[in-house]
Amino acid sequence: MNAPVTNAPAKPFDRPGHVGQPLSRPNAKRLLAGRGRYVTDITLPRMLHAVFVRSPYAHARIADVDIAAAQAMPGVRLVATGADLARLCTPWVGTLDHFKGMKSPPQLPLPLERAVWAGQAVVAVVADTRALAEDAAEMVAISFEELPPVTDLDMAQAEGAPRVSPELADNMCFRAGLDTGGVDDIFANAAHVVEGEFHFGRHTGVTLEPRAIIADYDPSEERLTVHHATQTPYQFQDLYARHYGIAESRVRVIAPDVGGSFGVKLHVYHEDMAVVGLSMMLGRPVKFVADRTEAFVSDIHARDHRVKARAAVAADGTILAMDVEDETAVGAFSTYPRTSAVEGNQVIRLIGAPYTLAGYRADLKVLFQNKVQTSQYRAVGHPIACAVTERLVDLAGQKAGLDPFAVRAKNMIADDAYPCASATGYKFEALSHQACLAKLHTLMDYDRLRSEQAEARARGIHRGIGIAAFVEITNPSPAFYGIGGARISAQDGAIIKITPSGEVRCLISVTEQGQGTETIMGQIVADYLGVSRDIVDRTSGGAQAQGQRARRRRGHPPGPARRAGSRERRNRRARHRAGAHQPFGGGAHRLFPLRYAARRHQCPALGGASLRTAGLSLRLHQRHSRLPCGGGCRDRAGEDPQAFRGGGLRPHHQSAAGGRTGARRRGAGARRGFLRRVPL
């Protein structure tokens, strides 16, 4: 017997589409052809170039700065010290309110009295070219009085140790602990105790494109435009506005193509803040691009940890509890605005995450030292937590005489135990470690590999087989930073536009750094609207996306193109009066006035929901817009959409009397080609 036929439209993502399919990246050819547009490619009229004179000492007092010789060099427009920029920029502090007891000294673009790491920028030189600025920088004479530096974890905690910041009582930035209780008793009664000490050296991200920024302040309009190789344009829009006292509506941050980031380009750097101030002082665009040497001594570092950990193990190999001490050195300041404590916080909360534990205790110490700041960098805290956990699990298996697969299978959180929480408090909705482990065992042909390993070892060839379980936390959402007072993602968003030509335009604030963000967004939009990905135009970069699109539409095409556009508009209006349907993404559609289309139209491509109830924020073009109706459009009340023109339903810009004034306004609006935002 045949199944009953239903006319119910498929819900978005239920039908076959683009999500989950291997697709080419639309921007790949452009980038491979060398047509990318990075900050380093941008040249603005009257643009100047900045370089920085840096401290050769890890810790030193700035006794005197002589800039007279540098100012006299050809092409030099400005030589600025910390005091010059401090008159414009308010200080910032890298703490989060929900990290109780966290402290860090205030920071300014350039230091006033002390340099606190080797490579810290002390003086800025601005000239007509980078070469002239570098020549002048060599003429800057700075007298330093060297101070004792804090260079490692033990020195930072020693009695009577030098303080990185004299205004603070000690070198402790942040301390936190976790304790489920009863851990000492578990260890006292365990059959085995395994332990280890783990040292992790500093890392940094070496992106193909180094940090780069152009700040362009227009004093006539009190307007700041910043071209910035960053992951977070909206974050910097807020920060530049707040710390330089500019109205946020007059600050625009453009993130063009970005050549890699890995988290390095999330953070506030002293040079970037300085460049904004330099542009304000000069009233001209100022550009700074870090070279590789500068990047190594100023880009954030990560993963400077010393971890002492132990595990209590039962005779049958069950891991009962873990006890962890993590000490991490974060440099002279806590990084702003995400801080330098998040990595350590995630280390102690992710250790032991894949396994069932009866007890857990951890102590985290985040310490200052006279080195480059550390902060979030690729897989924040996860590699450290995974390395410590899996080494303890291997040691536990050895003590209990269990194979590495067997000891993991015995201790992993059961696949039917979800939802549940880890011993550290992380909530897990649905993981599948046991299923993954079993599938891995089969794919590896594990027994054969062990046999081959034993044979090779008999011949003096030593081959290892490593197995590790991993839990990666999802995006912490704006709430994680927002609750701590960091304004990071509150302004992120997307705008979907459906144009008269039938193109779908997606403007997103999320930036593209080479990982395929634009491709992903195009797949989502195409599947949700039920259209081909080929007609979805994606623009990323937040303020850049909106600004460039708006600028293009404010202009008018020349001569024949304008006349052709007028004819096309006349023909479109004629087709609309005749009730004609036009193709959209392989389907059909009708033309609806804006407010009617947004609030009344029910679209099968959206599961029969109206655009408003579907939760879309649309900016529809001009008076009418094509919608992906698939030919089955209707309004919620069941009226024929053509009845709209008879006055039974009024567009928002027409008076109740339906007079000709509204019609004239609509015609003028169409001629201007203006954009109207539809509140949904």
Side-chain angles (χ1 to χ4, degrees), residues 77-118:
R77 303 293 178 171
L78 176 67
V79 181
T81 64
D84 298 323
L85 289 167
R87 298 187 187 100
L88 296 174
C89 182
T90 59
W92 61 90
V93 178
T95 59
L96 290 171
D97 295 342
H98 61 302
F99 285 175
K100 301 302 182 185
M102 186 178 186
K103 58 182 184 286
S104 182
Q107 303 175 59
L108 286 166
L110 299 176
L112 299 177
E113 299 176 352
R114 292 178 305 112
V116 290
W117 80 84

Side-chain angles (χ1 to χ4, degrees), residues 368-380:
F368 293 120
Q369 61 178 180
N370 292 111
K371 292 184 180 179
V372 180
Q373 297 172 91
T374 70
S375 195
Q376 286 87 318
Y377 160 71
R378 196 175 184 91
V380 184

Side-chain angles (χ1 to χ4, degrees), residues 405 434-449:
F405 258 102
Q434 289 183 328
C436 288
L437 191 67
K439 186 170 184 178
L440 179 64
H441 191 281
T442 301
L443 290 173
M444 290 175 64
D445 196 355
Y446 183 70
D447 295 333
R448 179 185 60 80
L449 283 178

Side-chain angles (χ1 to χ4, degrees), residues 241-289:
R242 277 197 287 141
H243 290 286
Y244 277 101
I246 309 170
E248 188 172 319
S249 61
R250 294 181 179 271
V251 177
R252 180 174 173 224
V253 178
I254 302 170
D257 291 325
V258 179
S261 179
F262 314 114
V264 170
K265 296 174 184 174
L266 284 170
H267 313 287
V268 170
Y269 291 94
H270 299 85
E271 297 93 337
D272 297 345
M273 294 295 281
V275 167
V276 172
L278 297 172
S279 179
M280 293 178 69
M281 295 171 71
L282 290 162
R284 294 177 61 174
V286 178
K287 182 177 188 176
F288 168 69
V289 180

Side-chain angles (χ1 to χ4, degrees), residues 252-607:
R252 180 174 173 224
V253 178
I254 302 170
D257 291 325
V258 179
S261 179
F262 314 114
V264 170
K265 296 174 184 174
L266 284 170
H267 313 287
V268 170
Y269 291 94
H270 299 85
E271 297 93 337
D272 297 345
M273 294 295 281
V275 167
V276 172
L278 297 172
S279 179
M280 293 178 69
M281 295 171 71
L282 290 162
R284 294 177 61 174
V286 178
K287 182 177 188 176
F288 168 69
V289 180
D291 62 29
R292 288 299 178 197
T293 302
E294 290 178 305
F296 274 116
V297 297
S298 61
D299 289 2
I300 61 105
H301 294 177
R303 303 180 186 171
D304 189 353
H305 288 253
R306 180 174 66 191
V307 182
K308 298 176 183 178
R310 58 182 185 142
V313 186
D316 65 352
T318 301
I319 301 173
L320 304 171
M322 290 186 179
D323 190 9
V324 178
E325 296 178 13
D326 181 19
E327 298 171 336
T328 177
V330 298
F333 301 102
S334 173
T335 303
Y336 183 67
R338 284 172 166 79
T339 81
S340 300
V342 172
E343 182 178 75
N345 183 65
Q346 292 192 177
V347 168
I348 64 170
R349 292 183 180 276
L350 285 167
I351 287 177
Y355 303 101
T356 300
L357 300 175
Y360 184 83
R361 181 170 61 198
D363 181 30
L364 170 66
K365 296 178 182 178
V366 180
L367 299 155
F368 293 120
Q369 61 178 180
N370 292 111
K371 292 184 180 179
V372 180
Q373 297 172 91
T374 70
S375 195
Q376 286 87 318
Y377 160 71
R378 196 175 184 91
V380 184
H382 292 68
I384 296 164
C386 181
V388 171
T389 299
E390 296 306 303
R391 179 55 179 160
L392 291 180
V393 172
D394 279 340
L395 292 174
Q398 292 172 15
K399 280 286 187 181
L402 294 176
D403 178 86
F405 258 102
V407 71
R408 284 169 173 80
K410 186 176 187 64
N411 288 283
M412 280 180 172
I413 300 172
D415 289 353
D416 60 0
Y418 301 99
C420 65
S422 70
T424 65
Y426 275 146
K427 295 180 180 179
F428 300 146
E429 293 182 3
L431 302 178
S432 54
H433 276 108
Q434 289 183 328
C436 288
L437 191 67
K439 186 170 184 178
L440 179 64
H441 191 281
T442 301
L443 290 173
M444 290 175 64
D445 196 355
Y446 183 70
D447 295 333
R448 179 185 60 80
L449 283 178
R450 283 297 185 194
S451 177
E452 292 178 356
Q453 182 189 43
E455 293 175 3
R457 189 155 296 180
R459 302 194 307 269
I461 300 173
H462 291 257
R463 290 174 180 161
I465 300 174
I467 304 162
F470 193 79
V471 171
E472 181 177 8
I473 60 173
T474 55
N475 192 316
S477 84
F480 178 82
Y481 290 108
I483 195 173
R487 307 177 189 179
I488 289 174
S489 34
Q491 294 170 295
D492 275 351
I495 295 174
I496 308 296
K497 298 181 180 181
I498 303 175
T499 70
S501 63
E503 183 184 48
V504 179
R505 288 181 176 158
C506 174
L507 288 78
I508 56 174
S509 59
V510 180
T511 54
E512 166 76 69
Q513 299 105 42
Q515 72 278 65
T517 300
E518 292 183 6
T519 305
I520 296 166
M521 296 301 175
Q523 290 174 286
I524 294 171
V525 171
D527 280 6
Y528 203 96
L529 295 180
V531 300
S532 168
R533 189 188 68 150
D534 295 337
I535 67 167
V536 179
D537 179 26
R538 300 148 304 278
T539 302
S540 64
Q544 173 210 22
Q546 297 181 46
Q548 287 185 348
R549 296 286 182 190
R551 279 204 311 277
R552 288 180 204 156
R553 295 201 181 92
R554 280 197 291 268
H556 292 283
R562 184 183 300 181
R563 289 193 293 273
S566 300
R567 286 194 300 271
E568 197 277 333
R569 283 194 295 273
R570 287 195 298 271
N571 293 336
R572 188 164 61 242
R573 287 195 292 270
R575 289 194 301 269
H576 173 58
R577 286 192 293 270
H581 291 260
Q582 302 296 327
F584 181 93
H589 72 279
R590 290 181 181 178
L591 300 175
F592 297 98
L594 283 176
R595 184 62 58 92
Y596 182 83
R599 295 192 170 181
R600 300 278 182 173
H601 180 64
Q602 290 184 324
C603 184
L606 302 180

Side-chain angles (χ1 to χ4, degrees), residues 59 148-152 155-156 161-164 171 368-371:
H59 196 191
V150 176
T151 57
D152 59 41
M155 184 182 295
R163 284 175 291 167
V164 174
N171 293 318
F368 293 120
Q369 61 178 180
N370 292 111
K371 292 184 180 179

Side-chain angles (χ1 to χ4, degrees), residues 200-247:
F200 300 88
R202 284 186 167 227
H203 290 53
T204 189
V206 183
T207 57
L208 289 177
E209 177 202 24
R211 285 191 295 113
I213 183 173
I214 301 173
D216 183 7
Y217 182 73
D218 181 355
S220 65
E221 295 187 347
E222 297 182 349
R223 189 178 300 276
L224 174 67
T225 302
V226 182
H227 302 263
H228 200 174
T230 178
Q231 294 175 242
T232 49
Y234 279 112
Q235 168 190 291
F236 283 99
Q237 180 191 37
D238 166 62
L239 295 176
Y240 295 146
R242 277 197 287 141
H243 290 286
Y244 277 101
I246 309 170

